[in-house]
Amino acid sequence: MTIFGAIEAGGTKFVCAVGSSSGGSLRSATIPTRDPDSTFADVAAFFSAARDLGSIAGLGIASFGPVRVNPASPQYGRILATPKPGWEGTDMIARARAFLDVPIGLDTDVNAAALAELAAIGAGLQHLAYVTVGTGIGVGLVSAGRSVHGIGHPEAGHIPVRRHAAHGDFAGLCPFHGDCLEGLAAGPAVAAAWNVTPSHIPEEHPFWEVEASYLAQLCASLFLTTGPERIVLGGGVMKQERLLPLIRGHTRELLGGYVDALRSIEDVERAIVPPACAEPSGLVGAFLLAERSTRSETRGG
Amino acid sequence: MTIFGAIEAGGTKFVCAVGSSSGGSLRSATIPTRDPDSTFADVAAFFSAARDLGSIAGLGIASFGPVRVNPASPQYGRILATPKPGWEGTDMIARARAFLDVPIGLDTDVNAAALAELAAIGAGLQHLAYVTVGTGIGVGLVSAGRSVHGIGHPEAGHIPVRRHAAHGDFAGLCPFHGDCLEGLAAGPAVAAAWNVTPSHIPEEHPFWEVEASYLAQLCASLFLTTGPERIVLGGGVMKQERLLPLIRGHTRELLGGYVDALRSIEDVERAIVPPACAEPSGLVGAFLLAERSTRSETRGG
């Protein structure tokens, strides 16, 4: 069996694994994210120790952003402007290749998660959005089976949204935009606006409606822009199961019957779903990136 | 020289032409849109009379929407729910093939326009959005060189937007969404809200700031979602040249320096542009669809 390496590189932790997208992880480790040198030293140690599992054919990196994802760019693989101390300019591919000289595939963590969710759902689907609502709001997009890259990579967590009246004059927490979607609806914004954490909010609290109205605006905008067949909602905030049906309801209301494939509540229930991957979607996506990187190098692509 | 047929099928007029995307139209005609029978009778007469120009190798249809654009669907080429009398369910491809039995390519008018603008700009660009602001707001998207189709086709003219305070309690005109972008910012909404037409609005009127703030939200959301390298703004309302610099300024402000390729005003001026095609972009796009349809049939695709 061919085995691959996977790194889900996040702002708080790096999850490293050896295995494959179909077979899952044979071994994995979670490494706290510190400065690049310390973090990658632990990553290298994990993959060095994992040599007893066999030869690793390729490596996939599902990275936090912003990161240069265009393989034609001289900055390919580099972390761009970020508030994470020490990470700006870090070359994720060079760091990995220093300890594992194999074909390497790289994308954003959320684009990788979108690829993984598309593969997990199967059924001939080609268009999917993966949204994570946690310390930030990240959006990965797959269109016609390929992850979407443009002038950068998707950053739809930062779209402007209509403020909910019950949110009062809460200014929002995004250092770039104040009250963009992430500034109003990510975990830290929820804590700051209501002085609570999502896991401890009573049912009658206005949070639920406010949060659902914001995330529904993202869902409606995505359906109206790239038209995903599925929007997968993951991340820490989405662990509150009361949110999903509220978001579906608000999304259907916002679409107003305009998109013919999303008229009934059953249509919307089928289209907005929780993650289907058995392991974290970003990690499974990293295995997919690894597998694709070895295929494209064989083809000379 | 191989010649092609092109139909830009709009809600008020059908523009028909014979020629090619590179050589332009050798002959064209504008036919008022009435019921499908009367309209297509005139279209057929145009192409019949155009036989003296030579044999037509393929036909492209750049159609108003909503229209089924997925070639795998049994409804491929059919107009979906529309307020235009008599058009719902019309099979645009069958109607055209009845008088011109050649390979036929079909897409939305705005996706076709996006393909045409991408070709006109050249320079190795792969990601572009075409926006028309007229009686409606239409958005066409090209990502990685291909027009974007998902659960339907892009309908980003209908995204929710933040209302401008100066717009008061104007309810918006969209029959589906009320105050979505199109409901607030398309030509008829401008006329209804301010009781003026864009070509007769004085410089100091609040319209300019309000309109620019809405269209900038679309631009920012597009940059943050599919990341077009260029957003081309066309249509009747955009003929007011004062709008473009205002939209650029508001878009830059909304992005807040977050997208590294769009930090300076020069970046944004390069990225948000007027149409570059010499003929209407949708018509040029229809020629491109015609040319692609003959290539794909030759390949058996």
Side-chain angles (χ1 to χ4, degrees):
Chain A
M1 191 186 82
T2 311
I3 60 171
F4 299 89
I7 304 174
E8 186 182 20
T12 55
K13 64 182 191 226
F14 274 44
V15 181
C16 302
V18 172
S20 69
S21 67
S22 54
S25 299
L26 301 172
R27 188 181 300 167
S28 69
T30 298
I31 291 162
T33 307
R34 291 144 294 153
D35 64 281
D37 284 348
S38 317
T39 310
F40 272 106
D42 288 357
V43 173
F46 168 81
F47 283 104
S48 174
R51 279 186 200 150
D52 62 310
L53 295 170
S55 170
I56 290 174
L59 176 69
I61 305 174
S63 177
F64 67 84
V67 57
R68 188 69 72 204
V69 289
N70 175 7
S73 165
Q75 291 185 302
Y76 178 51
R78 283 187 191 269
I79 301 292
L80 305 176
T82 174
K84 293 177 184 72
W87 284 92
E88 186 168 334
T90 297
D91 184 336
M92 304 293 275
I93 292 177
R95 292 274 182 168
R97 189 155 280 145
F99 60 80
L100 201 59
D101 192 16
V102 295
I104 297 178
L106 173 137
D107 208 330
T108 61
D109 45 6
V110 277
N111 265 351
L115 288 168
E117 289 292 329
L118 192 74
I121 296 170
L125 297 189
Q126 292 199 77
H127 315 283
L128 184 142
Y130 178 85
V131 179
T132 176
V133 189
T135 49
I137 297 184
V139 177
L141 291 171
V142 176
S143 180
R146 298 161 55 124
S147 68
V148 171
H149 299 152
I151 202 166
H153 48 71
E155 289 282 6
H158 291 269
I159 61 168
V161 287
R162 292 175 181 163
R163 300 176 60 90
H164 194 290
H167 224 157
D169 57 0
F170 175 61
L173 290 190
C174 177
F176 294 93
H177 313 111
D179 61 354
C180 68
L181 174 65
E182 177 171 303
L184 292 172
V190 173
W194 308 108
N195 203 21
V196 288
T197 53
S199 52
H200 293 77
I201 301 182
E203 269 194 36
E204 67 279 12
H205 196 286
F207 158 77
W208 302 102
E209 280 297 317
V210 171
E211 185 76 2
S213 81
Y214 291 140
L215 294 172
Q217 290 183 62
L218 173 64
C219 291
S221 289
L222 292 173
F223 283 131
L224 293 166
T225 305
T226 61
E229 294 156 304
R230 298 286 185 278
I231 297 179
V232 177
L233 297 179
V237 172
M238 289 307 302
K239 292 203 195 308
Q240 309 310 311
E241 293 181 1
R242 300 195 60 230
L243 272 176
L244 189 58
L246 294 173
I247 294 167
R248 288 168 170 156
H250 278 281
T251 302
R252 181 165 173 254
E253 204 173 296
L254 276 171
L255 291 174
Y258 188 68
V259 178
D260 76 319
L262 295 168
R263 291 236 167 87
S264 72
I265 190 65
E266 292 75 21
D267 291 337
V268 178
E269 283 169 353
R270 199 166 34 243
I272 305 181
V273 293
C277 286
E279 292 194 281
S281 317
L283 189 69
V284 180
F287 278 127
L288 287 172
L289 295 172
E291 289 155 16
R292 290 178 181 204
S293 75
T294 59
R295 284 200 296 274
S296 65
E297 298 222 350
T298 308
R299 287 201 311 268
Chain B
M1 190 187 83
T2 311
I3 60 171
F4 300 90
I7 303 174
E8 186 183 20
T12 55
K13 63 180 194 225
F14 274 46
V15 181
C16 302
V18 171
S20 69
S21 68
S22 55
S25 300
L26 300 172
R27 189 183 300 168
S28 69
T30 298
I31 291 162
T33 307
R34 290 145 293 153
D35 64 280
D37 284 348
S38 317
T39 310
F40 272 105
D42 288 357
V43 173
F46 168 81
F47 283 104
S48 173
R51 279 185 198 150
D52 63 310
L53 294 170
S55 170
I56 290 174
L59 177 69
I61 305 174
S63 177
F64 67 84
V67 57
R68 188 70 71 206
V69 290
N70 175 6
S73 165
Q75 291 185 301
Y76 177 52
R78 283 186 191 270
I79 300 292
L80 304 175
T82 174
K84 293 178 183 74
W87 283 92
E88 187 168 333
T90 297
D91 185 335
M92 303 293 274
I93 292 177
R95 292 272 181 170
R97 189 156 280 145
F99 60 80
L100 201 60
D101 193 17
V102 295
I104 297 179
L106 174 137
D107 209 330
T108 61
D109 45 6
V110 277
N111 265 352
L115 289 168
E117 288 293 329
L118 193 73
I121 296 171
L125 296 189
Q126 292 200 77
H127 315 283
L128 184 141
Y130 177 86
V131 179
T132 176
V133 189
T135 50
I137 298 184
V139 177
L141 292 171
V142 176
S143 179
R146 299 160 54 124
S147 68
V148 170
H149 300 152
I151 201 166
H153 48 71
E155 290 282 7
H158 291 268
I159 61 169
V161 288
R162 292 175 181 164
R163 299 176 60 89
H164 194 289
H167 223 157
D169 56 2
F170 175 60
L173 289 192
C174 177
F176 295 93
H177 314 109
D179 62 353
C180 68
L181 174 64
E182 177 172 301
L184 293 172
V190 173
W194 309 109
N195 203 22
V196 288
T197 53
S199 51
H200 293 79
I201 301 181
E203 269 196 35
E204 67 279 13
H205 196 286
F207 158 78
W208 302 102
E209 280 297 317
V210 171
E211 185 74 3
S213 80
Y214 291 141
L215 295 172
Q217 290 182 61
L218 173 63
C219 291
S221 288
L222 292 174
F223 282 132
L224 292 166
T225 305
T226 62
E229 293 156 305
R230 298 286 185 278
I231 296 179
V232 178
L233 296 179
V237 172
M238 290 307 302
K239 292 205 196 307
Q240 308 310 311
E241 292 182 1
R242 300 194 59 228
L243 273 175
L244 189 58
L246 293 173
I247 293 166
R248 287 167 169 157
H250 279 279
T251 303
R252 180 166 174 253
E253 206 173 293
L254 274 171
L255 292 173
Y258 188 67
V259 178
D260 76 320
L262 296 167
R263 291 238 167 87
S264 72
I265 190 65
E266 291 76 21
D267 291 336
V268 178
E269 283 169 354
R270 198 165 36 240
I272 304 180
V273 293
C277 286
E279 292 193 280
S281 317
L283 190 69
V284 180
F287 278 126
L288 287 171
L289 295 172
E291 290 155 14
R292 289 178 183 204
S293 74
T294 59
R295 284 200 296 274
S296 66
E297 297 221 350
T298 309
R299 286 200 313 267

